[in-house]
Amino acid sequence: MSAPAAKVSKKELNSNHDGADETSEKEQQEAIEHIDEVQNEIDRLNEQASEEILKVEQKYNKLRQPFFQKRSELIAKIPNFWVTTFVNHPQVSALLGEEDEEALHYLTRVEVTEFEDIKSGYRIDFYFDENPYFENKVLSKEFHLNESGDPSSKSTEIKWKSGKDLTKRSSQTQNKASRKRQHEEPESFFTWFTDHSDAGADELGE
C-alpha cells in the first residue's frame, strides 16, 4: 500500500492561496502598466499617420485644382445648372421658396475651398450675376475648427436691394399664415448665411 498522503494544515492552504493572489495582483498591475505603454505607442503611430495622411491630402488637393477649374468651366455652359441642382437636392430644396428659386437663377458658380491645413475648416463661395435681389457678386460661408476642436462659422453680409430681402419676406409670410401653414412654410435658403447656431452640425454646409 502506498504511504498515506501528508496532511496539510488549513493554515498552510490559506498561506499558499494568499501567495497566489499576491502574485496574480502583481501580474495584473504589470499588465496594466504594459497596456499603457503599448497604447502610448499606438497613439504615437496614429498621430504620425495623421500627419502623413494630411500631407497626402494637401498634395492631392493641389493636383485636383485644375480639374475643378475645368469642371467649373464646363458647368458654366449648362443653362440653370445650379438652380436645377439645388431644386433637386434633398437638404437644399427643403429651404427653397419660389423667390429663392428665382434668385438662384442668377447663381453661376459654386466653389468649395479647404483651408491650407485642411484641419481647420473650409469655405463655400457662391458667385452670382447681377440680379434684382442683392448687390453682392459673391456670397461666402466659412466653417472653422479652433485648436480645441470647437466649430464656428461666419458668412458674408448680404446687401439686399430695397424691398428684396428674402429672409424678412419669408418671416412676414410665416407670421401671416396659419399655424399649420407656418410649420410647412420653408425658410429662405438665404437665412442659412446668417445662421451660425450649430456650425458643427450644419447639414446644408456638408
Side-chain angles (χ1 to χ4, degrees):
M1 292 179 66
S2 60
K7 291 184 178 180
V8 181
S9 70
K10 190 173 183 180
K11 182 178 180 181
E12 288 175 320
L13 282 171
N14 288 339
S15 176
N16 288 339
H17 182 69
D18 290 343
D21 280 350
E22 287 175 7
T23 302
S24 177
E25 287 177 8
K26 183 179 179 182
E27 288 175 348
Q28 288 178 31
Q29 185 58 40
E30 288 177 351
I32 290 170
E33 291 173 1
H34 287 315
I35 288 171
D36 283 340
E37 292 172 3
V38 172
Q39 186 60 50
N40 288 337
E41 286 300 311
I42 292 171
D43 291 341
R44 184 183 64 79
L45 287 171
N46 286 343
E47 186 175 343
Q48 183 179 342
S50 295
E51 291 174 358
E52 293 185 18
I53 289 169
L54 183 60
K55 290 176 182 176
V56 171
E57 288 180 348
Q58 289 172 329
K59 172 186 175 181
Y60 281 92
N61 270 353
K62 290 179 180 178
L63 292 174
R64 291 185 190 108
Q65 290 310 312
F67 297 98
F68 287 151
Q69 180 63 33
K70 182 63 177 177
R71 183 178 64 181
S72 182
E73 291 170 1
L74 293 169
I75 286 173
K77 297 178 180 181
I78 303 173
N80 300 322
F81 176 89
W82 286 110
V83 67
T84 303
T85 300
F86 283 12
V87 166
N88 287 282
H89 188 285
Q91 275 78 31
V92 182
S93 62
L95 296 176
L96 295 181
E98 287 185 14
E99 285 195 289
D100 288 326
E101 288 186 34
E102 287 299 318
L104 289 174
H105 274 85
Y106 298 91
L107 177 60
T108 59
R109 192 162 90 245
V110 177
E111 291 183 354
V112 178
T113 305
E114 289 184 299
F115 298 147
E116 183 69 22
D117 64 358
I118 296 178
K119 295 183 292 184
S120 64
Y122 59 94
R123 184 181 72 252
I124 309 177
D125 296 316
F126 300 80
Y127 294 81
F128 288 85
D129 279 338
E130 177 68 30
N131 66 80
Y133 295 94
F134 45 82
E135 302 288 348
N136 312 69
K137 300 298 183 187
V138 183
L139 298 180
S140 302
K141 187 165 185 178
E142 295 184 2
F143 295 86
H144 297 265
L145 281 178
N146 62 23
E147 292 182 359
S148 61
D150 296 324
S152 64
S153 62
K154 64 179 183 179
S155 57
T156 305
E157 180 183 354
I158 303 176
K159 298 176 182 177
W160 296 102
K161 294 182 179 180
S162 179
K164 294 294 187 177
D165 188 336
L166 300 180
T167 62
K168 289 183 179 178
R169 188 170 301 179
S170 174
S171 176
Q172 290 169 355
T173 301
Q174 288 182 7
N175 289 338
K176 293 177 182 177
S178 67
R179 179 168 298 182
K180 181 179 178 182
R181 177 62 182 164
Q182 183 177 10
H183 179 72
E184 293 174 353
E185 185 75 28
E187 296 179 40
S188 169
F189 165 76
F190 294 93
T191 61
W192 175 70
F193 287 95
T194 58
D195 182 8
H196 306 292
S197 59
D198 195 1
D202 192 313
E203 291 185 6
L204 185 56
E206 290 298 326

